[in-house]
Amino acid sequence: CFIYHSERTKNILNTIGVKVPMLYIPHLKYSFKKKYEEKALSKDVVNAFVGIGKIKFLFFGNLSHAKGIDIIVDIFVGLPQDMKEKVELVIAGKNVEKRDFSLLRSMSKDYRVFDRHINDDELVYLYSHTDVVLLPYRKSSQSGIFAMACYFKKVMLLTDIPYFRKMIDEFPSFGQLTTIDKYQQLVEDIIKKPVLDNYYATSDCERYEQKKEINDFVTMVDAEINRC
């Protein structure tokens, strides 16, 4: 018996002439805890995202050129002062290129950089408290950060690379897509008009979470159990 996760795989098996029984099992989405242990949080993380009435931005993952960390630094350093006062920014992840963030840190007390390993509880805390996840990537074939933002239903601002374009074409309510040269404008537009409750439409979420496929699979398994 062959187990397959997608129609594409099934078509390949049929094309090469596979004759044995085939079983479809949905490729289940990422699952993670949504609660954190406060005792596992470092003091600097606990003090992040505590401002009232400010829009909270998160850049998470390797702090590298490929992920566009320089784009984020340039944008938030260059924000007009009135915009700086409306936001909180957390950059969290491994500083794989040994970048200097002293200028960014000096721009605002609400700009925080945790250039180190982030444990699971800190990750949950940051995703739970942010409003917007920043993904100004230059390249990526897939993204765990995208999946994590979806899991916590956080608005994403993405650059127009093939993977993100494909995902937003399929799930348009998950975020906004733009080119690198217009990414700053997208960030500023969100600051000026932070309307964040029109995202994650139920229909998009159900398709992303493959609820129909999972329900069909459970029904099929139940039928087989009853038959036996």
Side-chain angles (χ1 to χ4, degrees):
C1 177
F2 273 96
I3 293 175
Y4 66 95
H5 295 305
S6 68
E7 282 298 316
R8 177 175 177 271
T9 303
K10 181 182 179 182
N11 291 338
I12 291 172
L13 293 173
N14 286 331
T15 299
I16 63 177
V18 171
K19 301 299 182 183
V20 299
M22 290 186 283
L23 175 64
Y24 171 68
I25 297 179
H27 200 301
L28 304 180
K29 295 298 181 183
Y30 186 78
S31 183
F32 200 77
K33 64 180 182 179
K34 288 189 176 180
K35 294 183 179 180
Y36 53 85
E37 296 289 338
E38 290 194 10
K39 62 183 180 182
L41 304 178
S42 61
K43 186 176 180 181
D44 55 357
V45 168
V46 172
N47 289 330
F49 291 151
V50 294
I52 298 174
K54 296 192 176 189
I55 183 166
K56 299 168 175 61
F57 291 93
L58 174 65
F59 179 100
F60 192 93
N62 286 341
L63 312 185
S64 68
H65 181 267
K67 305 299 184 186
I69 184 59
D70 55 307
I71 296 171
I72 297 306
V73 170
D74 289 346
I75 289 173
F76 282 84
V77 165
L79 284 179
Q81 186 59 35
D82 63 324
M83 286 194 178
K84 285 189 176 82
E85 293 172 358
K86 295 178 180 179
V87 307
E88 286 188 84
L89 169 68
V90 168
I91 292 173
K94 293 182 180 180
N95 192 356
V96 295
E97 296 173 348
K98 308 301 181 186
R99 290 176 175 268
D100 180 4
F101 293 99
S102 56
L103 175 61
L104 178 70
R105 288 183 169 114
S106 71
M107 288 289 123
S108 171
K109 64 180 177 58
D110 291 321
Y111 289 176
R112 296 177 174 86
V113 181
F114 308 136
D115 49 348
R116 58 173 174 80
H117 171 73
I118 304 296
N119 69 42
D120 288 349
D121 291 283
E122 292 174 329
L123 179 153
V124 174
Y125 177 89
L126 291 173
Y127 270 93
S128 297
H129 288 78
T130 194
D131 298 312
V132 178
V133 176
L134 301 164
L135 293 103
Y137 290 13
R138 290 184 168 91
K139 59 182 179 179
S140 182
S141 57
Q142 58 182 359
S143 172
I145 308 304
F146 183 100
M148 189 70 72
C150 292
Y151 184 68
F152 284 91
K153 291 185 169 56
K154 298 299 179 177
V155 176
M156 290 178 279
L157 305 186
L158 311 113
T159 41
D160 188 16
I161 60 174
Y163 174 72
F164 290 158
R165 188 185 317 120
K166 174 185 174 184
M167 298 304 291
I168 293 299
D169 282 348
E170 189 169 357
F171 310 106
S173 66
F174 286 7
Q176 295 190 50
L177 193 74
T178 190
T179 56
I180 287 178
D181 62 308
K182 294 182 179 178
Y183 198 84
Q184 178 173 347
Q185 187 61 55
L186 182 59
V187 170
E188 292 184 359
D189 288 345
I190 289 288
I191 297 171
K192 292 174 184 175
K193 192 175 181 181
V195 179
L196 303 174
D197 54 358
N198 295 328
Y199 294 86
Y200 287 92
T202 300
S203 57
D204 282 354
C205 291
E206 289 183 349
R207 283 187 296 105
Y208 181 77
E209 295 165 5
Q210 295 179 295
K211 287 190 174 182
K212 181 180 184 302
E213 289 88 346
I214 292 171
N215 289 337
D216 289 346
F217 174 70
V218 171
T219 300
M220 180 189 69
V221 171
D222 286 344
E224 286 298 313
I225 291 173
N226 292 332
R227 185 176 66 82
C228 295

